[in-house]
Amino acid sequence: MQRFALIATVLVLLAPAVAADDIVLADGKTVKGVRISGETYEVVEYRKPGVSTPQKVASSEVVSIDYERSSKSYRDAMAARDDGNLKGSIHLLLAAAEDERYGEHQQARALVEAAEAMVNLGLYVDAMQKFDELLELYPKTRHLGRALLGKGKAALRKGEFSKASANFDDLKSQAAAKGLGERWTLEAEFFALLTGEGSGKTAGLAAKYESLKGKAKGKYTGLANKCTLRIGKLRLAENDGSGARRLFGEIIDGRLETDRDVVASAYNGRGRALEMAARGAYGEGDAETANALYREALLDFLRVYVHYGDVRDQQPEAMFFAAQCFKNLGDGEVADAGLNSRRLLHQCKTEFETSAWGQEAAKQLR
């Protein structure tokens, strides 16, 4: 009996592991419990338990893949990123990208996410190098669209508008030629508009964002929300605080389907609209309403400061305006308001000295 029990145990140990990779599709469905056997920008190939022939799904229909087995470096990187430790996350992701035990598709995922984290941290040159490395090592990677978009975003944030425009044109061209899917074509169109906005081409921009939003609505919520964000920012620049506030609220309501950088910017935008309304109320002698609005605005700025530390480019604005809200409320309304205001201004000046808000913070501390 012991011999038979031992044989049974050995057979269990030798049996193939139950597949448990999950493929999340654009239509909201998930293909569960499979084993990924290959990925390109054309197709994702997988095997189902009990089915001998490989199955395929077009990569343009795939939103994401949750792998059963990921390296410890990758898991630790995600935890570090969630804690706002982008530098630590990048280091771990680069280690995961070197780990050959988990296959090229997981190495490629780690590398593209490391490059994207570099963009968020402001390491634009390093990010572009890593995107190029990804495309050289894995020319048919499923993450081709992400890499091409990432290169353009790095150039845009660096202020290299011509280079960014060329990158977004390349993305649009390759999306059409290689069947990457409509999403990448629309992403290229959005960032082409954003590049034009950054270089001062604002004529008719709100209408163009509205048109693009119409194409994305109902299919690509995150992209539609990015258009809403830009329209809200344009409204804010035109001093239409109530209109901007409504638009930012739409994004915040749909934040679970939206990129973190967009949500953080929406919180900052709504905070700015509330702060604008507070100044108006104070100017009309309505201190009670002004204080209530300053409190609401403060909460939005502090949400960015506390919960979106990984979105580095939104931090200086959040710090600076949270400091203004504390200052305007004063110790009579919020305990240690003056102390918190000075602390935030000092941190903004120290960590973001080259940013516009860091320089404004430095002026206020003189």
Side-chain angles (χ1 to χ4, degrees):
M1 291 296 293
Q2 288 181 347
R3 180 174 178 273
F4 287 122
L6 180 60
I7 291 172
T9 300
V10 170
L11 289 174
V12 169
L13 290 173
L14 291 177
V18 177
D21 297 333
D22 295 337
I23 306 171
V24 181
L25 301 175
D27 62 5
K29 297 177 183 177
T30 301
V31 182
K32 290 181 174 290
V34 301
R35 176 69 69 215
I36 303 298
S37 56
E39 296 181 12
T40 69
Y41 59 72
E42 296 168 328
V43 297
V44 171
E45 186 174 277
Y46 61 93
R47 291 183 177 274
K48 281 186 173 182
V51 179
S52 59
T53 57
Q55 308 294 302
K56 294 180 180 180
V57 61
S59 292
S60 59
E61 298 299 317
V62 175
V63 174
S64 63
I65 297 176
D66 298 325
Y67 303 101
E68 176 198 20
R69 294 177 65 249
S70 295
S71 68
K72 184 177 185 302
S73 293
Y74 183 83
R75 296 194 303 272
D76 290 347
M78 295 299 98
R81 186 182 67 182
D82 291 344
D83 288 341
N85 180 9
L86 279 184
K87 286 185 178 179
S89 176
I90 290 168
H91 176 75
L92 290 163
L93 284 167
L94 292 176
E98 296 288 329
D99 195 333
E100 297 179 356
R101 292 174 298 172
Y102 296 88
E104 288 189 355
H105 43 279
Q106 292 208 50
Q107 290 178 275
R109 176 185 64 168
L111 190 53
V112 76
E113 289 184 356
E116 288 175 343
M118 288 174 182
V119 174
N120 288 334
L121 197 57
L123 303 173
Y124 305 127
V125 174
D126 292 336
M128 285 187 268
Q129 289 174 347
K130 288 302 173 185
F131 285 127
D132 283 336
E133 181 180 331
L134 172 76
L135 296 173
E136 182 178 348
L137 289 173
Y138 313 106
K140 297 202 73 174
T141 177
R142 179 172 65 88
H143 304 292
L144 176 61
R146 287 175 72 179
L148 295 173
L149 181 66
K151 286 180 65 176
K153 287 169 72 173
L156 175 59
R157 291 194 185 180
K158 198 168 182 287
E160 297 177 348
F161 299 117
S162 295
K163 187 173 184 178
S165 182
N167 283 323
F168 298 133
D169 285 345
D170 185 33
L171 171 58
K172 189 171 182 178
S173 174
Q174 292 209 44
K178 296 178 177 177
L180 301 185
E182 182 189 31
R183 176 201 164 188
W184 296 110
T185 298
L186 297 181
E187 288 279 6
E189 290 180 10
F190 171 81
F191 279 98
L193 291 177
L194 191 59
T195 302
E197 185 179 347
S199 59
K201 300 174 183 176
T202 58
L205 202 54
K208 292 175 184 177
Y209 279 127
E210 285 283 7
S211 175
L212 184 56
K213 179 180 176 180
K215 296 177 188 177
K217 196 170 183 180
K219 294 186 289 185
Y220 310 105
T221 301
L223 178 56
N225 279 341
K226 284 194 283 196
C227 293
T228 301
L229 177 69
R230 297 319 309 168
I231 298 165
K233 295 285 188 180
L234 291 169
R235 292 273 182 89
L236 199 60
E238 295 167 354
N239 294 316
D240 179 7
S242 60
R245 186 173 163 187
R246 175 182 58 78
L247 291 168
F248 295 134
E250 284 181 21
I251 297 166
I252 291 166
D253 289 343
R255 61 189 175 276
L256 296 181
E257 299 179 80
T258 306
D259 293 342
R260 286 175 61 80
D261 60 333
V262 177
V263 178
S265 188
Y267 272 122
N268 270 341
R270 190 172 71 175
R272 295 282 300 278
L274 288 163
E275 192 262 351
M276 181 188 296
R279 282 187 280 113
Y282 190 81
E284 293 172 2
D286 187 352
E288 184 177 352
T289 298
N291 286 337
L293 289 166
Y294 275 129
R295 285 176 180 273
E296 283 189 66
L298 177 61
L299 286 175
D300 277 349
F301 295 130
L302 290 179
R303 280 190 183 95
V304 178
Y305 177 65
V306 174
H307 296 298
Y308 294 87
D310 56 313
V311 186
R312 294 294 289 171
D313 67 321
Q314 293 299 312
Q315 286 298 305
E317 184 177 1
M319 290 178 191
F320 180 83
F321 280 98
Q324 304 313 301
C325 290
F326 273 126
K327 181 179 178 181
N328 285 308
L329 284 165
D331 291 344
E333 292 290 327
V334 178
D336 298 324
L339 177 62
N340 284 325
S341 178
R342 290 189 296 276
R343 282 176 174 169
L344 283 165
L345 288 173
H346 181 75
Q347 185 178 359
C348 185
K349 180 199 78 167
T350 303
E351 291 188 19
F352 302 96
E353 60 182 349
T354 61
S355 74
W357 303 121
Q359 291 168 11
E360 285 297 318
K363 289 178 186 176
Q364 291 198 9
L365 288 168
R366 287 173 188 161

